[in-house]
Amino acid sequence: MPSEHTPVISAPAPTLPHKWLRISGLLLIGLFVAYLDRSNLSVGIKNISTDLGFSGEEFAATSSLALTAFLVGYLIANFLGGFLTARIDAKWILLVTVAGYSLCTVLIGFADSVGVLVALRVGVGIFEGIYWPQQFRMAKAWFDDREMSRASAMIQYYGQYLALALGFFVLTPVEATFGWRPMFWVLGAIGLVVILPLYARFLPTAPGTTTVADPGQGTSRKGLTFAAFGGWRFVLLVFSYFTNGMLFWGITLFIPLIVPTFGFATSINGLLAAAPYLVSLVLTVPMMIIADRTGRRGPIAVSGLVVGGVLLACVALTGNPVLQFALICLGLGYFTASYTPNIWAIAVTDLPAHVVGPATGIINGFGAGGGGIVAGALVGALFAATGTYALGLSVLGVVAIVGGLALLLYTRMRPAA
């Protein structure tokens, strides 16, 4: 398994006309809509609680359950989906899963009980969890290692953070004007009538083989063994992403609820909820220039967790709402700009081609799904106990620092011979 300290001999990527548009561009748009489907519940949860009868004393516990239900399905499906779909063409899995989570989103708009809401959110998580590893199977198949940072950033980073930056800003006034049910109907319909036809028409099927062969791999199919994933070194990578998931989802699930506690004008709450992700998009440009010029993906990703963690850990140390908000924006912005574009490039280039789907499913399932579930429960419980989100955010910051140290160890360990 190559590390960033050892030269990588990369097989040339297959030829595909307009591949940056047909693969990276389309998957960016698809993930943009998928992330709107993930984050829309955070926007509508207050009004949903009134309509479904869990406002008041039940709000903290029930809203935490509803918000993290997606991540339960997401965790399971990422893990199983990567293995169960490893020999099926990624394009067809993408089509089925887009249809699945879009239909679940439409049906949420008709939910008449907490049980139905939670079940459908689990369904969204299951379909999006199976969807996730297919993106990196596509990337591994059509891009070589020298292109992987840009491909990873386009497919995963920009789709995700453009949705978060624009989503809270756009969805907040839409939900306030038309209500939460139409918001879900429209978002689900976009997946069904826009994304699904685009994928069916323009996404390519697998190029002869589902992946680009690794040098020295030969023609035989390798087993999905612990050693093939990288052994204990892979465990460090998964743990690093688990702490990333805690920090990211611990803020993202609650940011529409956190912002109003600062006492700013209600009319700008949507913009303020989007602000950390706007900061991330701005910081990504210089961080990617540095990464491209130095080739130091590992140290930059480590700094994202450590620096971002330190800034978030300081939130509970001040009672000034302006300073708390600034720490959240800078902490999340720097963390995501430095860590997210680099970690998937590190993972996909380090991993043998035949384990990319299962491995990225494990990383994202336990990392985003598991980390998000733990963070949602933790932040919700600390808010119920203290009446403030500050302590929960600071705890997440400390956890991220530990994750940064784990990733540092990962980059320092020599690959197995």
Side-chain angles (χ1 to χ4, degrees), residues 51-306:
D51 289 352
L52 300 188
F54 60 91
S55 56
E57 293 183 359
E58 298 179 11
F59 178 78
T62 306
S63 64
S64 179
L65 171 64
L67 290 168
T68 55
F70 163 85
L71 294 168
V72 174
Y74 195 61
L75 185 160
I76 297 169
N78 261 278
F79 180 75
L80 294 179
F83 285 92
L84 297 178
T85 64
R87 300 192 183 191
I88 304 173
D89 195 301
K91 173 177 178 174
W92 303 111
I93 303 301
L94 288 167
L95 291 175
V96 170
T97 52
V98 168
Y101 67 69
S102 298
L103 181 59
C104 286
T105 300
V106 170
L107 293 175
I108 288 172
F110 296 97
D112 58 1
S113 70
V114 173
V116 172
L117 172 66
V118 169
L120 288 170
R121 285 294 288 182
V122 172
V124 174
I126 289 172
F127 283 110
E128 291 206 9
I130 297 172
Y131 174 101
W132 183 270
Q134 316 312 319
Q135 302 173 106
F136 297 103
R137 292 177 63 202
M138 280 278 188
K140 188 75 170 182
W142 292 103
F143 298 98
D144 63 35
D145 290 345
R146 292 165 297 181
E147 299 170 319
M148 199 60 69
S149 287
R150 286 172 291 159
S152 174
M154 283 187 67
I155 291 170
Q156 194 268 334
Y157 178 83
Y158 283 106
Q160 175 178 343
Y161 288 97
L162 281 171
L164 292 168
L166 298 177
F168 289 130
F169 178 61
V170 173
L171 294 182
T172 298
V174 167
E175 192 271 343
T177 303
F178 300 103
W180 64 273
R181 294 185 188 276
M183 177 180 68
F184 282 95
W185 295 334
V186 169
L187 289 175
I190 291 173
L192 292 172
V193 303
V194 177
I195 302 303
L196 200 57
L198 283 174
Y199 277 18
R201 175 65 179 85
F202 295 109
L203 271 184
T205 53
T209 178
T210 56
T211 54
V212 178
D214 284 347
Q217 183 170 299
T219 59
S220 62
R221 180 177 293 277
K222 300 285 187 177
L224 299 177
T225 64
F226 186 55
F229 287 99
W232 290 107
R233 188 168 181 256
F234 179 70
V235 174
L236 290 171
L237 186 63
V238 174
F239 177 74
S240 158
Y241 206 77
F242 179 86
T243 65
N244 152 81
M246 285 192 66
L247 187 58
F248 172 78
W249 283 108
I251 295 174
T252 299
L253 288 173
F254 294 99
I255 192 69
L257 302 175
I258 293 171
V259 167
T261 67
F262 293 137
F264 301 123
T266 304
S267 60
I268 63 171
N269 279 349
L271 176 60
L272 294 179
Y277 309 102
L278 293 170
V279 172
S280 176
L281 290 170
V282 171
L283 291 179
T284 297
V285 176
M287 296 312 300
M288 287 196 65
I289 291 174
I290 294 171
D292 285 343
R293 290 184 177 178
T294 65
R296 306 291 288 176
R297 294 169 177 163
I300 293 171
V302 169
S303 77
L305 282 173
V306 173

Side-chain angles (χ1 to χ4, degrees), residues 337-358:
S338 302
Y339 182 85
T340 308
N342 288 299
I343 195 63
W344 288 112
I346 292 170
V348 173
T349 54
D350 275 9
L351 291 165
H354 70 289
V355 304
V356 165

